[in-house]
Structure formats: structure tokens, C-alpha cells
């Protein structure tokens, strides 16, 4: 059964590297985007706001950390946690900027019923086409791509490797027990002795 918990590092490494890059993009683009006239307000480079922290830095760090866990872990449950963490970060990228304005609060905003400063993503700068491109690459499309890559990694990790299934079945045979059933993605579990 221990063989089933091990997973080759290559199983999640490619997805992990992509997730690290996507997380870094999501966390850094609000700060370096103004250099290229690609930003949300305040459209000055390296300007700090709580909206950027909660809506871009936190999910970017979660995605990058999940990708790092995928790259370095050889233990299936830990690697699957990394994929789930990255997927959660991607989901927050996709819906956080949309839900932020919905969560209004009288206590934390300057105007009654306004958006709390911690959930305000700011306003996209530029013309109509530019606004759409900024929203997609800062939030929605970025989040969807992250969730997709994390889901692919999670799916690859959920499948038992053929060598692990064969080794587990061999262990059952050598221990004198008979295997119950070997499903396509799960190793046999020994049931009694012969």
C-alpha cells in the first residue's frame, strides 16, 4: 500500500512549473503592468493596495505554492494537495474580482454601501478592447487556465501508476493472500490468506 502513496516526481512536475509561472504572473502583473500601460488603477508601478493583495497577490502565491508542491513532492496526497491549492488560487482569480463588488459593507467603506477597499480591484485603464484584455489576463482567463492546469495535474496524480499496481499485486501474491480486485486506478488490497 505504501507503493500506492508514492508517485514519480515527473507526474506533476510539468504542471507544477506552469502553475508557478502563472502564479508569478498573477501576483506580479499588477505591479509591473503599468510599465507597459497595462494596468488597473492606480496605474502606477509598484503601487500597493489591499485590493491587489487580496485579489491578486494571495491567489498568485497560492497558485505558485501549489505548483512548487507539485514539483517537489513524491508523496501522492501532498502532491494532490498542491494541485488543489493551485486550483483554489485559480478559482479565486476567476471569481474574486467579480464577487468583490457584491460584498458591500457599511462599516469598512467610506461611502454607505460601497465596495470595501480590501475587495476593490480598481478600474481597468485604457480603451474598451484594452479593458477586456486587462480583465481577462489579470483575473478571469488567468483563473480558468490555472484551474484547468491544476485539474489536469490532479487527474494525473489520481491515477495509480501501472508499476505500483503491479508491485502491489505482487506483494499480495508473495504474502500468500489473494487480491480482491484490481480496478483501473487502484491497487489490489489483500484479502485473507489462501
Amino acid at each position: 500500500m505504501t507503493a500506492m502513496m508514492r508517485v514519480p516526481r515527473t507526474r506533476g512536475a510539468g504542471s507544477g512549473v506552469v502553475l508557478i509561472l502563472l502564479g508569478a504572473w498573477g501576483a506580479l502583473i499588477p505591479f509591473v503592468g503599468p510599465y507597459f500601460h497595462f494596468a488597473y488603477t492606480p496605474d502606477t508601478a509598484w503601487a500597493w493596495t489591499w485590493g491587489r493583495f487580496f485579489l491578486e497577490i494571495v491567489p498568485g502565491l497560492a497558485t505558485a505554492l501549489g505548483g512548487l508542491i507539485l514539483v517537489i513532492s513524491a508523496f501522492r496526497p501532498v502532491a494532490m494537495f498542491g494541485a488543489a491549492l493551485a486550483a483554489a488560487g485559480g478559482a479565486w482569480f476567476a471569481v474574486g474580482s467579480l464577487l468583490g463588488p457584491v460584498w458591500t459593507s457599511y462599516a469598512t467603506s467610506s461611502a454607505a454601501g460601497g465596495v470595501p477597499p480590501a475587495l476593490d480591484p480598481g478600474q481597468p485603464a485604457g480603451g474598451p478592447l484594452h479593458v477586456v484584455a486587462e480583465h481577462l489576463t489579470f483575473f478571469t482567463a488567468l483563473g480558468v487556465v490555472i484551474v484547468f492546469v491544476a485539474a489536469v495535474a490532479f487527474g494525473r496524480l489520481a491515477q495509480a501508476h501501472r508499476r505500483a499496481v503491479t508491485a502491489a499485486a505482487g506483494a499480495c501474491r508473495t504474502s500468500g493472500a489473494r487480491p480482491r480486485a484490481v480496478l483501473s486506478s487502484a491497487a489490489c488490497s489483500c484479502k485473507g490468506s489462501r
Side-chain angles (χ1 to χ4, degrees), residues 40-42 49 51-52 55-56 96-97 100-101 115 117 119-123 139:
Y40 271 66
T41 56
T49 66
R52 286 183 176 176
L55 297 174
E56 295 170 287
S97 67
V115 177
L119 297 174
D120 184 13
Q123 297 300 318
F139 297 108

Side-chain angles (χ1 to χ4, degrees), residues 104-121:
T104 58
S105 170
Y106 292 99
T108 58
S109 63
S110 57
V115 177
L119 297 174
D120 184 13

Side-chain angles (χ1 to χ4, degrees), residues 17-133:
V17 169
V18 171
L19 288 169
I20 290 170
L21 294 174
L22 289 171
W25 167 270
L28 292 176
I29 192 63
F31 298 109
V32 297
Y35 289 127
F36 310 104
H37 306 292
F38 195 70
Y40 271 66
T41 56
D43 55 348
T44 55
W46 302 103
W48 173 270
T49 66
W50 283 108
R52 286 183 176 176
F53 177 75
F54 285 116
L55 297 174
E56 295 170 287
I57 295 171
V58 170
L61 290 176
T63 301
L65 179 62
L68 181 64
I69 291 171
L70 276 169
V71 169
I72 63 174
S73 180
F75 190 58
R76 186 182 309 270
V78 173
M80 290 176 91
F81 170 75
L85 180 63
W92 186 244
F93 268 124
V95 300
S97 67
L98 301 174
L99 292 178
V102 174
W103 292 325
T104 58
S105 170
Y106 292 99
T108 58
S109 63
S110 57
V115 177
L119 297 174
D120 184 13
Q123 297 300 318
L129 190 58
H130 211 183
V131 167
V132 170

Side-chain angles (χ1 to χ4, degrees), residues 1-8 11 74-80 156-172 181-190:
M1 195 53 127
T2 307
M4 294 304 298
M5 292 297 169
R6 296 306 229 171
V7 64
R11 181 68 63 103
F75 190 58
R76 186 182 309 270
V78 173
M80 290 176 91
R156 286 181 47 85
L157 291 166
Q159 291 180 336
H161 197 268
R162 184 175 298 169
R163 281 181 261 159
V165 172
T166 306
C172 285
V182 179
L183 301 175
S184 62
S185 65
C188 70
S189 58
C190 299

